[in-house]
Amino acid sequence: MRLTTKGRYAITAMLDVAINGPAKAVALHDISNRQSISLSYLEQLFSKLRNAKLVKSQRGPGGGYLLAKSSNAISLFDVITAVDEKIDQTQCGGEMNCNDSRPCLTHYVWTDLNTQINDYMKNISLENVISRDEVRQIIEMRDTKNLSYLGTKENNFDTPIYLDYSATTPVDPRVAKKMSECLTIEGIFGNPASRSHPYGWDSEKLVDEARKNVASVIKADTREIIWTSGATESDNLAIKGAAYFYKEKGNHLITLSTEHKAVLDTMRYLESDGFEVTYLDPNNDGLLDLNVLKKAIKPSTILVSVMHVNNEIGVVQDIEAIGKLCRDKKIILHVDAAQSPGKVPIDVEKFNVDLMSLSAHKVYGPKGIGALYVRRKPRIRLQPQIHGGGHERGFRSGTLPTHQIVGMGEAFKYAGLEMKSDNIKIKKLRDKLWSGLKDIEEIYLNGDLEQRIPGNLNISFNYIEGESLMMATKDLAVSSGSACTSASLEPSYVLRALGRDDELAHSSIRLTIGKYTTEDQIKHAIKVLRESVSKLRALSPLWEMYKDGIDLKSVKWTSH
């Protein structure tokens, strides 16, 4: 029998509320700290528990959650079913072809066992558990010794080591300084669209300089750079804008199943509006097979959208080959390049890219600002998605945020100037990290190692859930996937598209290195990860079965 993360964490969290909250609401962040369960995970679990009327929320100061019933009236079975969890156990089957109408000799052993297990879970209440002497001893031990089983801090660093540079990057101090000069009365604070006085002229000059810096990194003309609020808006403007403008020519769009949600959700929206979308799976290494793309193209295909650098696994697609194919077929090519600047060379002319989405905060610039490259020759037309003033050549209305644009321009300037030296340093650290981990048993690297940006490692540790590993490594700030989806309880859709099964997809963490990462931090990360993997596997019955030589893929699980 096994109970996976949702069920175990839900029961643990409910026990915490029962222990700490009979007379007051219990805050989720307190549960998170006490039980080493991520806050985002708890938020999703408690949403389900509230819908099942097992807990009730209390807002305002001192807010949190209370049990909706007495701890005697809530069974473990209630909690498990509330979070859509199922208890799995082995069943007879296989060549014996056992079923209810034609049972094998042991059939009723397993059905009786199943009934007894469910009855047991129904008859054990939260109160039964927390009143046990063993549980009380654990509580006392934690209170007196401040014990944290797997997250004990042995770190001499002031804060957790940041290894999540693909989620966001800190702003470069040089960038922040330049931005700060565009905010106050002493600085250049004017509206760039105010062309009747020097305040507007000075701001416009800085915006033009930033536009030049961004264009230089991707080898574009400055007139082809359109400011947006970030890569998500750029993706929406590019895909929706092109689809609606060229819909008379066709209604078929192509993308990859491993794209960022900003692309996938936009595509799904267009499907609801009558467009046809083909989602291509990559090879097991995360890279697109060009022949698969060729076969997917139809006479009605008007746009292909492919991410340059994947945000989860860091692989780099052959945009030059894809661009040549699209240009030959007269199909618009959109590229989400949010993760590319400062990591890989970009040349929109050489790559035959028509539309490219860019972001500042992945390149040591500020959040809330991005850009869209829109080709002028041959000219690409878009239907605007935001109206009101006709800014940015009519593509994107809205007052330009001078300080953010200046920040993006400076960040891209340094990305272009320092890419080579940064990549040498970061690749050395990435290789050191991988060398320190790759001999761990049942470890899998997700995505091609060579055709990959220097700072990314996405690793699956079999028989360990990524969420548990993150909680066990509190010294490290890492993620279990894209920051936009890592709060989800579901396995990474990117890893599933690579052919990883649910278990391996659930056991993955993403480690991304940046220019502020040090060698000492990497050494400590290796130590923490190796120790945590060892401790977690020592607690895993699946690991014990694997070590006993049981082929877990041959075990037949059934749900009740």
XYZ file of all heavy atoms in Angstrom, residues 210-223 225 412:
125
model
N 17.921 52.907 -24.719
C 17.589 51.559 -24.253
C 17.116 50.687 -25.410
O 17.473 49.506 -25.504
C 16.505 51.638 -23.185
N 16.335 51.272 -26.302
C 15.852 50.515 -27.468
C 17.034 50.045 -28.317
O 17.051 48.917 -28.833
C 14.906 51.403 -28.291
C 13.860 50.637 -29.072
C 13.034 51.554 -29.948
N 12.277 52.572 -29.247
C 11.019 52.423 -28.831
N 10.394 51.279 -29.062
N 10.394 53.404 -28.205
N 18.022 50.910 -28.428
C 19.224 50.563 -29.191
C 19.980 49.417 -28.526
O 20.463 48.491 -29.197
C 20.125 51.795 -29.317
C 21.399 51.560 -30.112
C 22.230 52.837 -30.188
C 23.534 52.599 -30.947
N 24.378 53.836 -30.988
N 20.069 49.456 -27.189
C 20.782 48.396 -26.460
C 20.108 47.037 -26.633
O 20.777 46.015 -26.811
C 20.857 48.742 -24.974
C 21.823 49.865 -24.679
O 22.731 50.130 -25.472
N 21.644 50.537 -23.552
N 18.786 47.018 -26.562
C 18.048 45.764 -26.723
C 18.188 45.254 -28.156
O 18.449 44.068 -28.386
C 16.563 45.959 -26.350
C 15.758 44.710 -26.721
C 16.423 46.256 -24.870
N 18.036 46.157 -29.121
C 18.140 45.770 -30.532
C 19.522 45.201 -30.845
O 19.658 44.243 -31.614
C 17.846 46.971 -31.424
N 20.545 45.774 -30.220
C 21.919 45.339 -30.485
C 22.146 43.882 -30.086
O 22.844 43.135 -30.786
C 22.888 46.249 -29.734
O 24.220 45.803 -29.884
N 21.533 43.455 -28.969
C 21.737 42.088 -28.480
C 21.155 41.052 -29.434
O 21.691 39.948 -29.575
C 21.122 41.936 -27.064
C 21.090 40.467 -26.634
C 21.920 42.744 -26.050
N 20.053 41.388 -30.105
C 19.405 40.409 -30.985
C 19.653 40.707 -32.459
O 19.080 40.075 -33.335
C 17.892 40.322 -30.697
C 17.177 41.617 -31.065
C 17.643 39.949 -29.239
C 15.664 41.517 -30.990
N 20.522 41.697 -32.747
C 20.898 42.082 -34.125
C 19.685 42.575 -34.917
O 19.450 42.169 -36.055
C 21.540 40.888 -34.856
C 22.703 40.250 -34.130
C 23.908 41.174 -34.084
C 25.164 40.459 -33.596
N 25.075 40.000 -32.201
N 18.942 43.477 -34.300
C 17.733 44.016 -34.933
C 17.874 45.514 -35.153
O 18.798 46.164 -34.645
C 16.509 43.730 -34.056
N 16.944 46.083 -35.905
C 16.837 47.526 -36.085
C 16.093 48.094 -34.877
O 15.150 47.475 -34.370
C 16.061 47.820 -37.374
C 16.049 49.299 -37.728
O 15.399 50.065 -36.986
O 16.663 49.683 -38.729
N 16.503 49.273 -34.398
C 15.863 49.851 -33.216
C 14.365 50.070 -33.428
O 13.581 49.989 -32.475
C 16.512 51.196 -32.840
O 16.457 52.077 -33.977
C 17.960 50.993 -32.431
N 13.948 50.313 -34.672
C 12.527 50.551 -34.958
C 11.702 49.274 -34.846
O 10.464 49.336 -34.893
C 12.370 51.154 -36.355
C 12.971 52.551 -36.501
C 13.015 52.982 -37.949
N 13.928 52.153 -38.729
C 14.134 52.286 -40.056
N 13.453 53.209 -40.728
N 14.983 51.500 -40.675
N 11.775 47.248 -32.170
C 11.608 46.922 -30.749
C 10.378 47.647 -30.193
O 10.299 48.877 -30.221
C 12.849 47.311 -29.933
C 14.107 46.612 -30.499
C 12.656 46.971 -28.457
C 14.035 45.099 -30.501
N 20.408 44.655 -20.819
C 20.757 44.041 -22.101
C 22.135 44.489 -22.566
O 22.868 43.711 -23.187
C 19.690 44.366 -23.152
C 18.580 43.346 -23.206
C 17.759 43.136 -22.124
C 18.371 42.579 -24.348
C 16.745 42.187 -22.151
C 17.371 41.627 -24.391
C 16.545 41.429 -23.294
